[in-house]
Amino acid sequence: MAENCSHDCSSCASNCSSRDKKSFIKPLHEGATVRKVVAVASGKGGVGKSLVTSMLAARANQLGYRTAVLDADITGPSIPKSFGVHEAALGEEGAIYPVYTREGIQLMSMNCLLENEDDPVVWRGALIAGAATQFWTDVVWDDVDIMFIDMPPGTGDVPLTVFQSIPVSGIVVVTTPQDLVEMIVKKAVNMAKMMNVPVLGLAENMSYFECPDCKKRYEIFGESKADGLCKQYGIPAGAKLPVDPEITKLADAGEISKVNTDALAEIFKEIEKAKPIGE
């Protein structure tokens, strides 16, 4: 037990002997089924977590898995736009129903609940964390094989609440090829260890630019560190995503499912091997 323990585990990240992680797991809605949950996280914002989340969900759906995305980035939701979803979620007393993409992926995001997509969410931390939990407990997720959670940046209230309240099978860490990348990865990996959640893969976004004419690759944001970081931290799979205007174009047009996701193949294999909920 940590020194000066307040005995309030709900607001503490210490991995002490008195903590029973299972006791904090929140139940799904009685009409919902989810078999596996994968969180996409980073120790820093602006690295492309939502892009990687969307691409992993698109790949899962294309491979025949019943797929869902829980957008836990409450104040900066972007998942619906990537899939071209603009309609509001419907609900009734005690239940919210997910919105479906054209491809059949189930979504829940704060943007699906706001009167206007551009309205800001000006809430304090406890309310934001509570909303992320409600997307798990109050949404009637329909027979989901793999759920991806798009996490907000950092290691604050929402990531802590998600890891304590939702039975996460593993995380995928997203980063970029910059000098501070090791610190970003270390924060995310250490949080995963504290929460006893395995790191399944590392996706390095903006890893290189490939000239469309000569096909030569240029590491315009610095030398790739993905392979070394995977080896250093024992991460089983890595991926290098290019700087590609076509990806941005498709995401802005709500057609992220048309992006080639082959670069994430090795990470997805680790997701397939991750233990389902309850195992």
Side-chain angles (χ1 to χ4, degrees), residues 15-253:
N15 191 26
C16 61
S17 59
S18 64
R19 178 187 297 279
D20 178 8
K21 185 178 185 296
K22 291 183 179 180
S23 66
F24 296 104
I25 297 297
K26 302 292 185 182
L28 280 167
H29 188 278
E30 61 182 6
T33 303
V34 178
R35 297 179 183 84
K36 186 181 295 185
V37 180
V38 175
V40 181
S42 178
K44 182 183 180 296
V47 296
K49 291 183 302 300
S50 297
L51 172 66
V52 172
T53 303
S54 299
M55 289 175 65
L56 285 170
R59 187 171 186 85
N61 185 66
Q62 290 161 3
L63 291 174
Y65 291 98
R66 291 181 63 87
T67 309
V69 180
L70 189 161
D71 189 353
D73 195 351
I74 305 300
T75 60
S78 58
I79 293 294
K81 179 178 173 59
S82 295
F83 286 98
V85 171
H86 301 284
E87 60 265 35
L90 301 177
E92 56 189 12
E93 186 175 356
I96 305 171
Y97 296 97
V99 177
Y100 284 77
T101 71
R102 292 184 295 270
E103 300 80 15
I105 298 171
Q106 301 174 48
L107 301 182
M108 182 49 60
S109 170
M110 183 55 69
N111 263 13
C112 298
L113 301 176
L114 296 174
E115 185 174 351
N116 299 298
E117 290 183 348
D118 296 332
D119 289 346
V121 178
V122 188
W123 293 356
R124 294 191 182 275
L127 285 175
I128 295 171
T133 303
Q134 282 186 282
F135 287 172
W136 172 257
T137 60
D138 294 4
V139 175
V140 187
W141 299 103
D142 183 17
D143 196 26
V144 174
D145 293 319
I146 306 176
M147 171 184 285
F148 295 94
I149 301 182
D150 184 23
M151 301 282 276
T155 55
D157 283 348
V158 176
L160 177 60
T161 298
V162 167
F163 283 129
Q164 288 185 330
S165 304
I166 299 175
V168 177
S169 302
I171 75 167
V172 174
V173 177
V174 183
T175 186
T176 54
Q178 296 170 319
D179 288 340
L180 51 71
V181 67
E182 186 173 349
M183 179 184 69
I184 297 170
V185 173
K186 192 171 183 179
K187 285 178 182 290
V189 169
N190 285 343
M191 185 170 194
K193 287 182 178 179
M194 292 170 69
M195 297 292 108
N196 296 314
V197 178
V199 179
L200 304 175
L202 182 144
E204 184 180 74
N205 192 27
M206 298 180 277
S207 183
Y208 63 89
F209 171 75
E210 183 175 280
C211 175
D213 297 323
C214 68
K215 303 302 179 182
K216 183 177 179 180
R217 291 186 177 186
Y218 297 89
E219 295 179 323
I220 58 178
F221 290 113
E223 184 179 353
S224 173
K225 299 173 178 62
D227 295 338
L229 288 169
C230 286
K231 183 177 180 180
Q232 180 179 352
Y233 293 104
I235 300 173
K240 299 176 184 179
L241 302 180
V243 176
D244 187 348
E246 184 65 17
I247 294 177
T248 303
K249 179 181 177 181
L250 289 171
D252 287 346

